[in-house]
Amino acid sequence: MTTAQTTSKSAAAIDKARAEGRAALIGYLPAGYPSVEETIAAGIALAENGADLIEIGIPYSDPVMDGQVIQAATTEALAKGFSVSQVFDVVQGITSRTDAAVLVMTYWNPVVRMGVDEFSRRLAEAGGAGLITPDLIPDEAAEWMEASDKYGLDRVFLVAPSSTTERMQRTVDASRGFVYAVSIMGVTGARTSVSTAAKDVVAAAHAAGAERVCVGLGVSNAGQVREIAAYAEGVIVGTALVAAIRDGGVDAVAALTKDLSAGLSRTGLTEEEA
C-alpha cells in the first residue's frame, strides 16, 4: 500500500456509501455518446440521482469486452470524430459540477499512445479519480503503477471467475480504490439474472484482502442491484444506462439511476443476506 491510498477518491465514495448502510452505485457512460456535451450532462444526472462513482469509457476500435449496446455507442462516437483527449473534457465537465468520483475505463493502448505519464497528469488535472484497465494486468503495469502514485490516482484492475488464487492476490495487492469483479465470463450486456459466480469472485477478493469489491457485467435493474449489494461494496451498471441515453436521452438516464439506487440499501436484509 502506498501513501496515496489515503487520498483515494474512489475509496472515499464507497466508504461514504457504506457509512450510510448501502452499497455504492457506479454508472458507466461511453465518452462522446451521443456527444461530449450529452455525456457530461448524463454524468451529472447520474450523480444527482444516486450514483456515487461514474465510469467514463474511452471509445475504442477493438473493444474485446464490450457487448453490442456499448459497441454500437462507441462506434458511433468514433464515427463522429471523438478523440482520446476529449475524455478529459468529459471528466472535468462532471467533476466541476458534482462530488462523484469519476474514473476513466480504457483499454491500455490509447494510454500508451498518449504516454502513460502525460495521460495520468491530464486525468488528475481534470479531477479524475483514476483508471479502470480491463486489459492490463498488474505484472505489465509498472509504468502505470509509478504514474498513478505520482499523481494520486486509483488503479482498478479486474478479477474474474477464472482468476487463480495467485492472480487474485496479485491483483488485489496492486489495486487502489476498489477491485472490479467481473461477474460472468464473456462480454458486457444486460442479463435477466446475475451469475452466482459473482458472489464467489467477491468472496475470493475479500479473502485476498480487498476492502472494496465492486461487481460489474450484466447488472440492469434494481432487483439485481439489491442482490449484489448484499455481498459487494459496489454495483456497476453500464449497458442499461447506455440503452437509456440512446432511447430517452439524459432524462432517461436520470430516471433509471434513481430506480437503480433504490436497490442499494442493505437495511431490511436478513442477517444471512447482509
Side-chain angles (χ1 to χ4, degrees):
M1 293 294 176
T2 67
T3 51
Q5 175 69 38
T6 55
T7 60
S8 166
K9 291 180 181 178
S10 304
I14 294 167
D15 290 350
K16 181 174 180 286
R18 183 158 39 187
E20 293 170 3
R22 60 183 178 81
L25 178 62
I26 304 168
Y28 167 91
L29 297 167
Y33 177 79
S35 67
V36 168
E37 293 72 23
E38 284 166 294
T39 309
I40 293 170
I44 293 167
L46 272 169
E48 289 177 345
N49 289 279
D52 304 282
L53 298 92
I54 296 165
E55 262 185 63
I56 299 296
I58 293 183
Y60 190 53
S61 54
D62 184 26
V64 291
M65 207 178 90
D66 296 330
Q68 286 182 327
V69 173
I70 293 175
Q71 267 194 32
T74 54
T75 300
E76 185 176 319
L78 290 170
K80 288 177 177 175
F82 181 86
S83 65
V84 172
S85 62
Q86 285 178 290
V87 78
F88 306 118
D89 300 330
V90 173
V91 172
Q92 188 156 22
I94 299 169
T95 57
S96 64
R97 297 272 303 278
T98 76
D99 294 328
V102 181
L103 298 108
V104 168
M105 186 175 202
T106 179
Y107 295 100
W108 196 236
N109 195 34
V111 181
V112 173
R113 225 179 289 163
M114 180 174 286
V116 178
D117 189 88
E118 167 83 354
F119 192 104
S120 302
R121 179 183 62 78
R122 292 179 70 177
L123 179 60
E125 285 174 356
L131 285 180
I132 299 168
T133 52
D135 64 340
L136 181 70
I137 56 172
D139 320 45
E140 298 168 2
E143 204 176 348
W144 166 227
M145 305 284 267
E146 186 182 331
S148 56
D149 284 345
K150 179 178 175 181
Y151 296 106
L153 295 168
D154 292 333
R155 42 180 187 256
V156 178
F157 295 102
L158 276 67
V159 293
S162 59
S163 298
T164 62
T165 305
E166 183 192 7
R167 165 71 56 207
M168 180 68 76
Q169 190 65 59
R170 194 172 294 182
T171 306
V172 167
D173 291 346
S175 295
R176 180 163 58 226
F178 64 95
V179 175
Y180 191 126
V182 178
S183 62
I184 33 102
M185 301 303 291
V187 299
T188 60
R191 286 171 171 76
T192 50
S193 62
V194 178
S195 162
T196 51
K199 196 169 185 176
D200 297 336
V201 178
V202 172
H206 283 153
E211 292 179 42
R212 303 165 197 88
V213 187
C214 301
V215 174
L217 295 198
V219 186
S220 61
N221 60 52
Q224 292 169 344
V225 168
R226 188 171 291 109
E227 194 183 319
I228 293 169
Y231 58 81
E233 284 70 45
V235 187
I236 302 164
V237 181
T239 298
L241 287 165
V242 179
I245 197 169
R246 177 195 68 199
D247 299 337
V250 173
D251 289 347
V253 170
L256 177 58
T257 307
K258 192 170 284 188
D259 181 51
L260 291 167
S261 65
L264 294 169
S265 178
R266 290 177 171 150
T267 55
L269 295 175
T270 64
E271 278 185 23
E272 284 179 15
E273 286 179 309

